[in-house]
Amino acid sequence: EAGVAQSPRYKIIEKRQSVAFWCNPISGHATLYWYQQILGQGPKLLIQFQNNGVVDDSQLPKDRFSAERLKGVDSTLKIQPAKLEDSAVYLCASSLVGGQGYEQYFGPGTRLTVT
Amino acid sequence: EDQVTQSPEALRLQEGESSSLNCSYTVSGLRGLFWYRQDPGKGPEFLFTLYSAGEEKEKERLKATLTKKESFLHITAPKPEDSATYLCAVQPFMYSGGGADGLTFGKGTHLIIQP
């Protein structure tokens, strides 16, 4: 079974530029999550989708971050404009169905460096 | 606010030297407690989910246990390939419903097993 795919794996941009990350979840997984992992920290949830609807975006900095999940499959996370503190690994995860009993499986992440 | 504290931050063991990692948590209602393993440059890899106090799960040299306030990850006779960062996360029970089930992670324990 193919895992969660993410691209690009690495990205370097200057502050105030924009960037986008792509995620393809495990086939059949209805729930998709984006997490931000700053060096030395555990992942922090940014947004959760159930199919193509947003379930939780309470921790998403909406003035600069946006995300969408078209047709309930692939998802894109965008940052515009980027700040130095956005340097982190952005992880995408998916689960079969939200809730108890369904583990979240993570992709390899995209490492963003903002200079 | 949900909180997860892991200790120690780092642990260095000799091959074959057994030990335990601690995860203390504060959550209004626990739906599940998760353990993940993370290797450098990779996304977290799912290990275990525990749902209720007294529950135990095992996988090879790893055994996870759960009480009402903390979880332990016991590693028995570790090998160098067990070296990784081990992450603990809680999934809260959402009394308000809505399906939000993102994980709250600790900072992790960086484990090094020396041959």
Side-chain angles (χ1 to χ4, degrees):
Chain A
E1 178 182 78
V4 177
Q6 291 188 247
S7 68
R9 291 296 315 278
Y10 306 93
K11 190 74 177 179
I12 301 174
I13 62 172
E14 295 182 353
K15 60 184 179 182
R16 291 187 290 275
Q17 286 187 325
S18 63
V19 65
F21 313 124
W22 173 83
C23 172
N24 179 245
I26 294 173
S27 178
H29 280 198
T31 307
L32 185 147
Y33 312 80
W34 283 101
Y35 289 83
Q36 178 193 57
Q37 187 174 24
I38 294 172
L39 187 64
Q41 306 284 321
K44 172 189 170 185
L45 179 72
L46 293 175
I47 190 168
Q48 175 187 348
F49 292 93
Q50 180 85 15
N51 296 307
N52 61 349
V54 175
V55 174
D56 182 7
D57 64 357
S58 59
Q59 299 186 85
L60 186 74
K62 299 180 186 64
D63 58 334
R64 298 183 300 106
F65 286 64
S66 65
E68 61 180 7
R69 189 180 185 195
L70 299 177
K71 300 180 181 179
V73 181
D74 293 1
S75 178
T76 303
L77 177 69
K78 297 180 181 178
I79 307 176
Q80 182 180 5
K83 293 184 176 181
L84 295 176
E85 57 260 38
D86 298 332
S87 294
V89 175
Y90 290 85
L91 295 163
C92 180
S94 70
S95 67
L96 189 60
V97 179
Q100 187 184 44
Y102 296 101
E103 298 83 19
Q104 296 181 23
Y105 294 93
F106 285 81
T110 296
R111 181 177 296 279
L112 173 67
T113 302
V114 182
T115 63
Chain B
E1 182 180 327
D2 303 333
Q3 285 193 325
V4 178
T5 303
Q6 293 188 245
S7 62
E9 290 187 7
L11 181 62
R12 188 183 297 265
L13 300 172
Q14 292 295 123
E15 183 173 1
E17 181 184 0
S18 301
S19 188
S20 297
L21 313 182
N22 177 263
C23 170
S24 298
Y25 64 90
T26 303
V27 64
S28 55
L30 182 68
R31 173 176 271 175
L33 185 138
F34 295 73
W35 282 98
Y36 285 84
R37 168 190 171 130
Q38 188 171 28
D39 292 296
K42 296 188 176 182
E45 175 189 348
F46 171 77
L47 292 174
F48 304 108
T49 311
L50 302 167
Y51 297 107
S52 58
E55 188 175 2
E56 299 181 352
K57 288 192 177 175
E58 289 188 63
K59 179 180 180 180
E60 296 181 355
R61 295 175 293 281
L62 299 176
K63 177 180 177 180
T65 62
L66 181 66
T67 72
K68 289 186 178 180
K69 293 184 177 181
E70 56 192 351
S71 176
F72 292 93
L73 185 65
H74 308 277
I75 181 162
T76 303
K79 298 181 178 181
E81 53 261 43
D82 295 321
S83 297
T85 296
Y86 289 85
L87 295 165
C88 171
V90 295
Q91 184 181 57
F93 182 84
M94 302 299 292
Y95 296 97
S96 59
D101 62 1
L103 303 179
T104 298
F105 282 84
K107 293 183 179 181
T109 293
H110 182 50
L111 178 65
I112 298 174
I113 308 299
Q114 295 180 311

